[in-house]
Amino acid sequence: MTQQRFAAAMRHALELAARGPARGVNPRVGAVVLSPAGEVLAEGWHRGAGTPHAEVAALEELDPQQAAGSTVVVTLEPCNHTGRTGPCAQALIDAGVGRVVYAVADPGRRSGGGAERLRRAGIDVVSGVLADEVEVFLDDWLFAARHARPYVTLKWAASLDGRTAAADGSSRWITGETARRRVHEQRRASDAVLVGTGTVLADDPSLTARGPAGELLPEQPVPVVLGERAVPDDAAVRRHPKPVIVLRTRDLPAALEQLQQRGIRTLYVEAGPTLASAFVTAGLVDEFSVYLAPTLLGGPRTALADLGVASIDEQRRLSLIDVERLDDDLLITARPR
């Protein structure tokens, strides 16, 4: 069977994978079973937590004798652990398949290693087919799995002189309506939105994603509150359509690992200067989303607090990714170098 046939089947498996849920603990995976002659015998994709994985879903369409000697093309390396379902690598071994072709290795500490298990069982394994395309498709899940934490975007809105509030603490509104709409779009596109308890107590945010008329958008991020102080029972965040996750800790790496284990792949942080600076200092910010308004406020209320930069040689340089004009405001996107 040719590499071209593998690539065609992998592209179809990728189309199948796109039918699965885009959020949650599990990745979107698709699988295609080919006969020794290269004909499609079955296909499957993962429909969500607790359901059969893509390979098993495809095998379930076949009689046992049909799977023997077949080639299974799957977007992600077959898993090697028992969770809500058994290991896919063992299911493929038990089915008697002759070859497994996959695009990207599973980076999970518990789930990885399926390819080696297959090889030990005498099954031919081919890796890396359309790996670049599958990497892009699974980028958020792969990042979270590889780093044991979500991809973190830190956002703030500030005046041109870097102030996020006036001297009395008032901050509504520094930016205009178009910029505020973009913030809600970014919230909607994120798995979760995180603030500290200080922000909850001071501003009482709802952390919802809303449309132009203030209506709730169909897709909502999970609200997360981080800090050791209690969240009031009547806080607006407790009326969020999704249950709030309260993390009573200051341990950022541990908190992010907890979120990743809950299926949070992308995290949008809207923190005050103390918590925002803690994320930056710990090296836990993957992208900065900074809204700048053409106004001046002066005073002490800056976007970030002390970052431990004692001299100009220690400044934290960023790579500029994009600058977008939103009416009178600017949205600057940057990433750490």
Side-chain angles (χ1 to χ4, degrees), residues 19-335:
R19 301 181 187 180
R23 291 181 175 178
V25 176
N26 299 104
R28 292 187 289 174
V29 180
V32 176
V33 183
L34 303 176
S35 72
E39 300 170 340
V40 176
L41 297 176
E43 58 187 41
W45 66 93
H46 187 51
R47 290 171 165 82
T51 66
H53 290 189
E55 306 93 305
V56 174
L59 291 173
E60 287 178 347
E61 294 187 357
L62 301 174
D63 295 329
Q65 64 272 19
Q66 289 179 290
S70 65
T71 293
V72 176
V73 179
V74 59
T75 52
L76 185 68
E77 176 188 11
C79 69
N80 192 36
H81 81 297
T82 300
R84 295 188 186 182
T85 60
C88 293
Q90 189 59 50
L92 293 166
I93 294 168
D94 294 342
V97 306
R99 180 188 294 115
V100 172
V101 179
Y102 70 89
V104 176
D106 187 333
R109 287 173 290 185
R110 294 188 305 121
S111 56
E116 183 56 32
R117 185 171 184 170
L118 292 167
R119 290 190 182 98
R120 289 199 304 266
I123 294 174
D124 182 31
V125 177
V126 179
S127 64
V129 176
L130 295 191
D132 290 345
E133 294 182 32
V134 176
E135 282 270 353
V136 172
F137 177 76
L138 287 175
D139 61 350
D140 60 346
W141 184 86
L142 286 170
F143 181 94
R146 287 167 177 163
H147 297 273
R149 66 170 179 84
Y151 184 91
V152 174
T153 297
L154 176 61
K155 167 262 173 183
W156 68 76
S159 60
L160 284 184
D161 55 344
R163 268 58 182 180
T164 58
D168 64 356
S170 59
S171 59
R172 296 185 180 179
W173 297 102
I174 292 176
T175 56
E177 184 178 343
T178 301
R180 297 198 297 272
R181 282 204 303 267
R182 179 56 58 85
V183 170
H184 285 281
E185 291 171 2
Q186 290 184 320
R187 286 183 181 179
R188 179 184 60 181
S190 303
D191 290 338
V193 177
L194 180 146
V195 296
T197 50
T199 297
V200 170
L201 296 173
D203 300 335
D204 197 25
S206 66
L207 302 187
T208 52
R210 300 184 298 278
E215 75 280 11
L216 290 176
L217 297 175
E219 294 180 342
Q220 290 291 326
V222 175
V224 181
V225 179
L226 177 71
E228 296 178 332
R229 287 179 287 180
V231 177
D233 292 338
D234 61 349
V237 71
R238 293 199 181 276
R239 298 190 293 275
H240 193 284
K242 293 189 176 181
V244 60
I245 297 175
V246 178
L247 301 173
R248 301 289 291 272
T249 180
R250 293 184 180 180
D251 188 334
L252 292 183
L256 293 181
E257 185 172 5
Q258 285 187 50
L259 293 177
Q260 188 264 340
Q261 291 171 354
R262 290 173 179 247
I264 304 300
R265 309 175 191 175
T266 55
L267 181 66
Y268 193 64
V269 177
E270 298 189 59
T274 301
L275 183 54
S277 300
F279 269 94
V280 174
T281 302
L284 294 173
V285 179
D286 304 296
E287 187 166 298
F288 293 84
S289 189
V290 179
Y291 292 82
L292 287 181
T295 188
L296 302 173
L297 293 175
R301 296 184 180 270
T302 56
L304 296 174
D306 183 21
L307 298 179
V309 177
S311 69
I312 197 67
D313 294 337
E314 299 172 358
Q315 62 186 297
R316 294 174 178 264
R317 289 282 189 182
L318 307 177
S319 295
L320 187 63
I321 304 302
D322 188 42
V323 178
E324 181 181 358
R325 183 164 181 169
L326 301 169
D327 290 340
D328 288 338
D329 303 316
L330 295 178
L331 169 56
I332 298 175
T333 303
R335 293 176 186 148

